[in-house]
């Protein structure tokens, strides 16, 4: 089967994007890194982040090695089938390793620039908003472009070489393994430091945010980088590749005859177009710059969306000239991707509504803080759950329309569309922690109130962007795992997954519980680690009172070590269960039950992910609203209660909530990739099928 | 078709149980009601509870009338089918009204005795633990026996007259409508008062629990009666009847030929046996009395279980003599019911483990309180979610074994088994609020520290019993709705509910979200109402300082009015959506999607119900653990943080969590009973099926 020439769109887009990333990196490095103290702080953050990544990657290498070996020696999913693609397992195993290394490399590159951009953005703020914004934005773009460029080049090349979506699946699984570690580990790290710093520094000693006397301040800043830049980047790398591969598998299963070669690479082509759209959007924003960072970020998203729709239209039109017989189907699939992208943006903006402090929900939560700690929790809890409804409706409508347009393949392509402009999304998202850090560095580098206020303005735009991208990421991941579930079912050859049969119902039951258990374990990890951090901070303050007077420096390395070690230790159990549980369900109850397990996990995962992200986001903003002087401002009982809300929300929104995405992708890919293994148990009916 | 004579076991059991209830009622009324002040307080509680019930029942009558009319005029579920039972809709409509009145009457009777038993139990405590316990226990038994007696007589008579399980379905739906109102309304009422009283009285004015100066104290005591006695009673009435009717429908669908008459009434027979077992257990406990209330309540449960297994064995043996050809199946079904009951008890005891202050989870939560408000919340939140796993495993094992024993009918009968000794369960549960009230009356009636300590001991046994019965009730309701879902599917004639089709997946998605939304709305209702209560209590204290000095009485009627009005207003929206959403899903996406909706709702409902009940229970006990003098005791920061946990947990464990049961039953019954209506939309494929 020849690969249509259109695939080069994706390859070229990937290469251009890597070049642009390197160009932006150089621009960032050329900017003024500020005074000595700032460089010192930035250096600490840099080395803390490197230490974490190094330790993390070491463990990851072992994990990847074990899984690669398992892939090599386990029965191949397709050995005994008569599908069109048959391959030896070494290919999937090798590509798995390549996928994980690619993801690690992209994450490392992006984060490396992030930790350089922070101090330079802080210095930029001494000139003006525009200058501060530009550096941070470019730093974010490096991450966004590196992630998408590497992913797209990887997927295209793997497909061009092996000509099998199932080998690409290996690449995707590699990216997923990395994402699981980076997201859980980074999430635990960042909140261990943040919660610990707040509980002692803010609550007990009344230190301001980012105060250099607080021993956990540097660890907190490191956490923003490893959790929010590297973690979120690897998460979206993962979803991005998974959405492509899910659609490719669906194409091979559903589309027969001579139209297959073009439809099988359509996800790759459209992602290439999306990458060009993201690039164009980024250059336009960079060109015009902006005094209003929030607007600039949003207009980048809008621009990329419009350009995607326009460029996509042109390319699809060209393709219809080459393949007139498939014209109608090409247009339908194109519409499905546009619908997917639009719904992603709508979902993102509902998250924004529920977390903005000028809208009713967050305002009510802030007011609830006046009635005490318990009421602010109840209020955030209920709004968080209610906020699940609008994005769910958005997702249901998108799925329905996409299904009407081109069946299950349409649903897969809607996921591709949602993730097509992921370059912009990751860039906006990585901007957040950079300016967050910049604010901290401005504070620690004594740049004065005016500059801190400018940095605050940048930070607040980052928070809004983060809320939107988080909603977006959850929506996209969910649509992707729905596509993965369909491709799993196609792959398993199950004609239907019947909910009325007991093993399927049990599979769905376990699936519904899995995300709840997973988030509980992560929240508990953060709580346990933060407890250690709290004790360490208290110890330092008590043993050396000069730290509090500012005469002597706090020992922030101890705090970094606690966060690093804790994050690694705590991520082991959740990571293992995310692979063990689907395998156990499949082996015991059969592949139909495993399909239902995935469905249950996807649906309940959506609820928990949105609930936790949004409740956490609005508690955070309710606190900021009060700190801005509303409802009595800082120091009041309402403020204290709002801090309680924020602290509860921290592991919700930055650890557990966003990790659920990765969990879902890993579980879906595990199910698909270990199919051959599962089919060994009573031909896929499961060990217990003799009784049931 | 003749009804086998064995059905009289159930009728006789029902009648005996009503007689026993009246006898116990007289025993309670004969006991010494204590001093004037105690009688006064008890009188206030009594009249507050009556007021609420009256207003509540007025609204209920309108609701019941509307639904009865809808049942009468909507297309009958079976008009166009060729099933064996065809009937005119007036029968279902009439029986629906009877079912709702029966449930209202049982609830009213039980609650009426409850509000008399409280002061008498307090007076009993002046003599000794045993005396205080006896009155409260008998008071609880009146509720338990009234509920089960009325339900069993109702179901048996309706079936004997109309010979159709589908008419019995109407009875069940009537009971469900009442339960929905009583559970949601009562739950909102009780927590409005409790949270309001705590937030101002305890937190702002340092008043002890149940202090007569607190204007919301009486409303709080009323709440215990309407929420925990009448509400829980109607909830279990509802589950009980639903489990019977689900198995009856499954029998008509799955069992053909001459064995049908005996198997169709088997659920009724076994419930009759269970009622005899409960009665015997109650009499034994009453006979021997006990100095250790906790042990007495638990041994009642064990005794009833053993007696059920033994009596059941005897009756089934007799039946095998009469019907030797069905002997094996009879034994298999008997085993399924025993498995169901055993798993119910195991589920109950895991709830106990997660909420007891001498076990690790609650102990950890109490210790987390030392680190502040946020940490205690995070700790309770994560343990609450983790506590879902053991009962889920219990339920999965029970379902699997029951399925192996007799397929889907076996699962239905396991639910019947779990609910067979519900008389004991309701009795134990109603005991809790009676002694809770008794403690309050002892405090307000100035009976002295010694008596209050005795009442505390009774109260603490009540809390443990409540944790167990709550877990039990959730497990039983879930197994029942699983059976209802199967019977819905049989009824709909859907051969399978295929999760790979988009409309089914969407149905499941909406189902998973429904319990989350429902609990959020209830929590929000409590929060909103409690806010009003807080303002009223503050107003009274500020306008009349003599209330705080005890010179003048607080105006508790205002507080009662706020709780009553608020509960009624707030329950309307959740009640309506619990009926509208399933109808909308069925009409738009078809009956298969509605089946998946039910499955999704059941699974996520289980997670939310257990999570909310257990987290709430352990926050409560963590607070009590600290109040008992541990970790610094009352007045410390840890104590304050533990109060925050308790206040958050209040609407979780007493409003939202337990209401989910009722929601699930109502939604399942709505789906089944409005089947004819739903089949009118593209023959059950749904309005949107033209596109999908």
């Amino acid at each position: 089967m020849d690969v249509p020439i259109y695939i080069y769109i994706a390859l070229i887009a990937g290469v251009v994007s890597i070049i642009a990333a390197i160009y932006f990196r150089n621009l960032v490095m050329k900017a003024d890194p500020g005074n000595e103290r700032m460089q010192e702080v930035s250096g600490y953050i840099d080395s803390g982040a490197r230490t974490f990544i190094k330790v993390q990657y070491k463990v990851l290498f072992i994990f990847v090695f074990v899984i690669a070996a398992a892939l090599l020696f386990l029965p191949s999913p397709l050995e005994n089938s008569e599908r069109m693609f048959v391959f030896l397992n070494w290919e999937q195993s090798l590509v798995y390793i390549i996928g994980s290394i690619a993801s690690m490399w992209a994450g490392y590159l992006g984060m490396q620039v992030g930790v350089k951009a922070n101090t330079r953005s802080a210095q930029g703020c001494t000139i003006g908003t525009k200058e501060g914004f530009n550096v941070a934005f470019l730093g974010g773009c490096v991450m966004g472009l590196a992630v998408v460029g590497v992913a797209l080049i990887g997927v295209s090349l793997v497909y061009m070489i092996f000509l099998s979506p199932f080998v690409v699946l290996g690449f995707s699984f590699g990216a997923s393994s990395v994402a699981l570690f980076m997201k859980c580990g980074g999430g635990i790290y960042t909140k261990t430091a943040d919660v610990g710093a707040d509980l002692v520094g803010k609550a007990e000693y009344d230190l301001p945010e980012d105060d250099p006397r607080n021993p956990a301040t540097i660890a907190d800043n490191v956490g923003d980088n490893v959790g929010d830049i590297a973690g979120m980047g690897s998460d979206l790398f993962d979803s991005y590749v998974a959405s492509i591969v899910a659609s490719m598998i669906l194409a091979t299963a559903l589309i027969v005859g001579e139209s297959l070669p073009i439809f099988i690479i359509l996800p790759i082509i459209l992602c290439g177009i999306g990458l060009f759209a993201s690039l164009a959007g980024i250059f336009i924003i960079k060109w015009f710059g902006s005094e209003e960072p929030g607007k600039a970020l949003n207009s980048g998203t809008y621009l990329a969306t419009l350009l995607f729709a326009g460029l996509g239209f042109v390319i699809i039109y060209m393709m219809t000239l080459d393949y007139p017989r498939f014209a109608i189907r090409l247009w339908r699939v194109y519409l499905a991707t546009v619908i997917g992208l639009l719904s992603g943006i709508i979902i993102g903006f509902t998250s924004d509504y529920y977390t903005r402090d000028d809208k009713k929900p967050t305002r009510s939560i802030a007011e609830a803080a006046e009635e005490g700690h318990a009421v602010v929790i109840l209020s955030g809890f209920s709004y968080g759950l209610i906020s699940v409804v609008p994005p769910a409706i958005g997702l249901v409508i998108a799925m329905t329309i996409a299904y009407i347009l081109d069946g299950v393949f349409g649903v897969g392509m809607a996921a591709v569309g949602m993730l097509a402009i992921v370059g912009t999304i990751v860039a906006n998202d990585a901007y957040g922690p950079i300016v967050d850090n910049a604010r901290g560095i401005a504070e620690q580098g004594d740049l004065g109130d005016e500059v801190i206020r400018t940095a605050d303005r940048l930070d607040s735009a980052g928070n809004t962007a983060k809320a939107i991208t988080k909603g977006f990421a959850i929506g996209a991941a969910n649509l992707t795992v729905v596509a993965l579930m369909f491709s799993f079912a196609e792959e398993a050859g199950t004609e239907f997954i019947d909910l009325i049969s007991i093993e399927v119902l049990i599979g769905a039951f376990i699936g519904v519980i899995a995300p709840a258990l997973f988030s509980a374990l992560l929240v508990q990890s953060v709580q346990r680690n933060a407890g250690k951090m709290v004790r360490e901070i208290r110890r330092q303050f008590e043993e050396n009172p000069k730290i509090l007077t500012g005469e002597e420096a706090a020992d922030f390395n101890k705090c970094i070590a606690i966060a690093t070690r804790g994050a690694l230790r705590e991520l082991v159990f959740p990571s293992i269960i995310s692979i063990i549980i689907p395998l156990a369900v499949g082996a015991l109850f059969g592949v139909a039950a495993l399909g239902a397990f995935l469905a249950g996990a996807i649906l309940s995962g959506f609820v928990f992910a949105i609930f936790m992200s949004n409740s956490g986001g609005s508690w955070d903003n309710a606190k900021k609203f009060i700190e801005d002087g509303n409802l009595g401002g800082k120091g009041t009982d309402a403020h204290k209660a709002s801090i309680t809300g924020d602290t509860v929300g921290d592991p919700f929104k930055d650890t557990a909530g966003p990790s659920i995405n990765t969990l879902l992708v890993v579980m879906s890919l595990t199910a698909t990739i270990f199919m051959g293994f599962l089919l060994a148990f009573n031909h896929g009916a499961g060990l217990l099928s003799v009784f049931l």
Side-chain angles (χ1 to χ4, degrees), chain A residues 7 10 152 155-156 165 240-252 255 260-275 308 316 319 330 333 337 409 412-417 419-420:
Chain A
I7 200 169
L152 206 50
V155 169
S156 316
Y240 187 62
V241 175
S243 75
I244 297 175
V245 77
S247 291
M248 291 178 83
I249 292 179
L250 286 173
T252 57
I255 299 171
L260 178 57
I262 189 67
F263 281 100
I264 206 172
I265 62 160
L266 203 52
I268 301 181
I269 299 172
L270 285 164
C271 281
I273 296 169
L275 184 43
F308 172 73
I316 295 287
M319 290 171 82
L330 280 169
V333 170
T337 56
F409 184 64
M413 290 304 290
V416 169
L419 283 154

Side-chain angles (χ1 to χ4, degrees), chain A residues 14-50:
Chain A
V15 173
V16 171
S17 131
I18 297 289
I19 294 171
I22 293 170
Y23 169 63
F24 288 161
R25 182 179 172 281
N26 293 340
L27 283 186
V28 168
M29 297 304 284
K30 260 190 262 170
D32 180 358
N35 66 35
E36 225 169 85
R37 171 68 188 148
M38 288 161 70
Q39 291 189 46
E40 189 192 359
V41 173
S42 168
Y44 292 147
I45 299 173
D46 191 1
S47 86
R50 271 173 211 270

Side-chain angles (χ1 to χ4, degrees), chain A residues 7 10-11 14-15 18 95 98-99 102 146-162 167-168 171-172 237 240-241 244 268:
Chain A
I7 200 169
L11 257 186
V15 173
I18 297 289
V95 165
I98 295 174
V147 160
V148 182
V150 170
L152 206 50
I153 294 175
V155 169
S156 316
L157 283 183
V158 168
Y159 181 68
M160 286 164 81
I161 293 166
F162 297 99
V167 181
V168 183
F171 188 84
S172 180
F237 188 114
Y240 187 62
V241 175
I244 297 175
I268 301 181

Side-chain angles (χ1 to χ4, degrees), chain A residues 227-301:
Chain A
D228 291 347
I229 302 191
M232 188 59 125
S234 60
D235 179 22
L236 283 166
F237 188 114
D238 173 34
S239 300
Y240 187 62
V241 175
S243 75
I244 297 175
V245 77
S247 291
M248 291 178 83
I249 292 179
L250 286 173
T252 57
L254 299 170
I255 299 171
V256 286
E258 51 176 325
S259 65
L260 178 57
I262 189 67
F263 281 100
I264 206 172
I265 62 160
L266 203 52
I268 301 181
I269 299 172
L270 285 164
C271 281
I273 296 169
L275 184 43
F276 276 122
S278 296
L279 269 168
I282 287 169
F283 272 98
I284 292 173
I285 289 175
K286 184 189 160 295
W287 206 273
F288 290 102
S290 177
E291 290 293 336
E292 285 183 76
K295 271 200 186 156
L297 293 176
N298 282 348
S299 48
T301 309

Side-chain angles (χ1 to χ4, degrees), chain A residues 244-376:
Chain A
I244 297 175
V245 77
S247 291
M248 291 178 83
I249 292 179
L250 286 173
T252 57
L254 299 170
I255 299 171
V256 286
E258 51 176 325
S259 65
L260 178 57
I262 189 67
F263 281 100
I264 206 172
I265 62 160
L266 203 52
I268 301 181
I269 299 172
L270 285 164
C271 281
I273 296 169
L275 184 43
F276 276 122
S278 296
L279 269 168
I282 287 169
F283 272 98
I284 292 173
I285 289 175
K286 184 189 160 295
W287 206 273
F288 290 102
S290 177
E291 290 293 336
E292 285 183 76
K295 271 200 186 156
L297 293 176
N298 282 348
S299 48
T301 309
Y302 295 136
L303 258 175
T305 306
L306 276 178
L307 288 169
F308 172 73
L311 280 176
F313 188 89
V314 172
I315 298 289
I316 295 287
Y317 179 71
M318 282 166 59
M319 290 171 82
T320 57
L321 299 183
D322 279 357
Y323 305 93
R325 283 169 49 209
F326 319 137
I328 291 174
R329 188 157 198 181
L330 280 169
W331 284 122
R332 294 177 79 106
V333 170
Y334 163 75
L335 278 181
T337 56
V338 173
I339 291 291
L341 180 51
L342 285 179
S343 78
I345 288 172
I346 292 169
I347 290 172
F349 280 91
T350 65
S351 289
D352 186 41
Y353 170 80
Y354 277 97
T355 54
R356 269 171 85 126
D357 67 9
D358 55 348
K359 301 290 177 197
K360 195 184 159 226
T362 302
R363 197 58 71 86
S364 306
I365 294 170
E367 283 160 12
E370 293 194 295
E371 293 175 45
H373 300 266
V375 185
V376 79

Side-chain angles (χ1 to χ4, degrees), chain A residues 368-373 376-377 636-646:
Chain A
E370 293 194 295
E371 293 175 45
H373 300 266
V376 79
I377 297 296
T636 54
D637 282 346
H639 181 225
K640 281 191 193 122
S642 74
I643 291 177
T644 295
D646 181 39

Side-chain angles (χ1 to χ4, degrees), chain A residues 471-502:
Chain A
F472 198 97
I474 294 170
N478 260 66
L479 208 48
T480 299
V481 285
V482 168
L484 277 174
M485 186 193 80
F486 285 136
S487 62
F488 163 81
E490 288 299 334
E491 179 70 351
T494 52
E495 274 172 73
F496 47 79
I497 297 176
D498 182 12
L499 259 178
I500 313 179
S501 72
I502 195 87

